[in-house]
Every structure is written in structure tokens, then in C-alpha cells.
Amino acid sequence: MVETFGFKKRGKKNGKSSNAGHVTGRKKKGKLTARERIQLLLDPDTFVEYDKFVEHRCSDFGMGTEDNKFPGDSVVTGQGQINGRLVYVFSQDFTVFGGSLSGAHAQKICKIMDQALLVGAPVIGLNDSGGARIQEGVESLAGYADIFLRNVLNSGVIPQISLIMGPCAGGAVYSPALTDFTFMVKGTSYLFITGPDVVKSVTNEDVTQEDLGGAKTHTAVSGVAHRAFENDIDALLNLREFFNYIPLNNKDPAPIRECQDPR
């Protein structure tokens, strides 16, 4: 009974952000929550969540308190379907510690990447992360190494797609650059190794987030991103359409649709 009650308490807390004010602020910017993004991307009632009650294991710097632990940590992972086809997905939650990557966060992502490779299904990452979780130090960095390894091993075997949906910095930008397709959202998503403040302090150069790593910079100058969309909803709906044109793996034939043109 005690164990059951514990799961009920954690279940009620699951899905809540670390700061409700963050959710309100994001809504004003037209951003969806991590779970709303998954719901919009996948077919209705097909999402099966993995590791819903996993929490970070850090006890340093006050992280061990109950107020600093959230079921699922800062990422939602699982499998579902897009137009009836299997896909594995992770969606980083910026409202929980800025979507930063902890050891548990990395293990959740690695788990679905391993499962996707095993069954031959694409992986889609909805990226919205401030980078490594500094409280966890090298454990967080080791988590990135595990993800990068899988990016390389999965390359050419299963499609890997990244949709940048927020300000991603530091370690959070390397994995999307290793994936097959990278898309961004105009005005709200950024990719840079280090932000404008650090650039200013080191080079004394004034640069905006948009100029440093915005959607226009990466689609028109650096070539890191393939396309940018107007907002979260536009990006996710276009990603659903794009998914129809790619094979599930390197042994799967490209999808064929019957032509509806009467001419």
C-alpha cells in the first residue's frame, strides 16, 4: 500500500513543470509544452511513454530535496505512430531545469535510440535544452558522449531527425548537428556552442542570439539546419508531412503513394 501510494503521488506530480510561471510565459510566446508537442506530432492515442517516473540521482547543491525532483526529469520519451508508422521520440522540457541534460535524462534518450535501432524505426528529437546540467558535472558530459555514440552508430541505419524548438546551447547542439535532418522554429529556436554574453566577454563583440545561432543564420549561412518554420504548430505539422517521405530504416523501401492526379 505504501508503494502504491508513492506511485500515485509521483503520478500527480508528473507532467508539472518546475515553475508554473515558466509555462505561462512560454504560452505567451506561442510555445507548446513538451507533452503538447508530442501529442500534436503523433497520431492520437498512440504514444507509449517510457520511464515516466525516473528522477535524477544528483544530491549535490541542494538537488536531493523533494522540490528539486520531478518524475520523468527534464525529458519525455517513448514511442508512437505518425500516419500509422512507428517512430521513437523524445521531447525536452525546458520548464524543468531549463531542459538541461542529467545522467537520467541521457539514459532515457539512449534507451529509445537503442530500441529504435533494434526494431528499425526513426528517432525524432524535439530539442529544447540549455545544455549540460552543471550540478552533475562530468556525469552529464558522459551522458552526451553516450548520445553522440548512438548518433554515429545509428547513422545510415535509421533516420534521425532533430526539431529545434527553443534556445539550445553547449552540449545540446552537437547531437542535432549529427542527425540526418535538422529543422528550426523562427524567432524562438537557437543553436550555439556558447551564448552572446560569453562571446562579448571573450571577443568584446556584440552579437544577438538571432545572428549567432538563429533560424536564419543556420538555414541561410551555416547550413546546419535544412528549413525553418513559423511556430511550434507549423513545425510539427510539417514534420508529420515530411515523415511520409522517408523510409523507416536502410532496409525499408521508400513509401509509395497512389497518384490521385486524374490527368
Side-chain angles (χ1 to χ4, degrees):
M1 286 296 292
V2 174
E3 197 67 30
T4 303
F5 178 69
F7 274 112
K8 284 184 177 179
K9 282 183 68 178
R10 291 159 75 187
K12 287 180 181 179
K13 192 176 179 183
N14 187 273
K16 294 183 180 180
S17 72
S18 60
N19 189 338
H22 288 177
V23 175
T24 303
R26 290 167 64 82
K27 292 289 186 181
K28 291 179 180 178
K29 296 179 182 177
K31 290 186 175 184
L32 302 176
T33 67
R35 293 179 182 277
E36 287 173 341
R37 288 167 175 169
I38 289 178
Q39 290 171 1
L40 187 58
L41 176 65
L42 302 181
D43 296 342
D45 302 320
T46 63
F47 181 58
V48 179
E49 185 172 353
Y50 287 7
D51 302 321
K52 186 174 183 178
F53 296 114
V54 167
E55 297 175 346
H56 72 77
R57 299 176 294 275
C58 179
S59 58
D60 297 324
F61 308 104
M63 293 292 287
T65 65
E66 196 64 29
D67 289 341
N68 281 327
K69 289 195 173 183
F70 297 86
D73 204 33
S74 53
V75 66
V76 182
T77 61
Q79 69 173 59
Q81 295 181 4
I82 297 178
N83 298 320
R85 304 171 74 214
L86 179 64
V87 64
Y88 286 78
V89 62
F90 68 85
S91 180
Q92 293 175 319
D93 187 353
F94 197 83
T95 68
V96 178
F97 302 117
S100 58
L101 187 127
S102 65
H105 181 138
Q107 286 178 344
K108 290 180 66 175
I109 292 177
C110 288
K111 180 175 181 177
I112 66 161
M113 294 179 78
D114 289 341
Q115 287 289 314
L117 183 64
L118 182 66
V119 303
V123 175
I124 295 178
L126 306 181
N127 298 83
D128 195 355
S129 169
R133 188 168 300 174
I134 193 169
Q135 293 91 339
E136 296 202 13
V138 293
E139 184 174 355
S140 176
L141 300 180
Y144 276 122
D146 292 336
I147 293 172
F148 301 160
L149 173 64
R150 286 161 176 78
N151 284 138
V152 175
L153 294 177
N154 293 355
S155 180
V157 182
I158 56 174
Q160 300 178 88
I161 303 170
S162 297
L163 177 53
I164 313 304
M165 308 193 78
C168 295
V173 307
Y174 295 106
S175 179
L178 291 171
T179 58
D180 300 304
F181 300 98
T182 304
F183 304 109
M184 299 184 71
V185 179
K186 296 178 182 178
T188 59
S189 68
Y190 308 98
L191 283 172
F192 38 65
I193 304 299
T194 189
D197 292 341
V198 177
V199 172
K200 172 69 174 177
S201 65
V202 174
T203 68
N204 203 34
E205 179 183 357
D206 290 309
V207 62
T208 66
Q209 283 190 326
E210 188 63 39
D211 290 337
L212 186 61
K216 185 176 181 180
T217 297
H218 286 310
T219 54
V221 180
S222 73
V224 170
H226 297 86
R227 187 175 176 185
F229 301 99
E230 296 300 325
N231 53 53
D232 281 16
I233 295 174
D234 182 42
L236 292 165
L237 293 180
N238 273 280
L239 184 51
R240 281 182 58 87
E241 179 66 22
F242 173 77
F243 192 78
N244 294 331
Y245 294 91
I246 62 174
L248 296 179
N249 55 67
N250 62 349
K251 295 183 179 180
D252 186 51
I256 298 177
R257 283 188 177 184
E258 184 179 346
C259 179
Q260 302 297 327
D261 190 342
R263 292 174 294 179

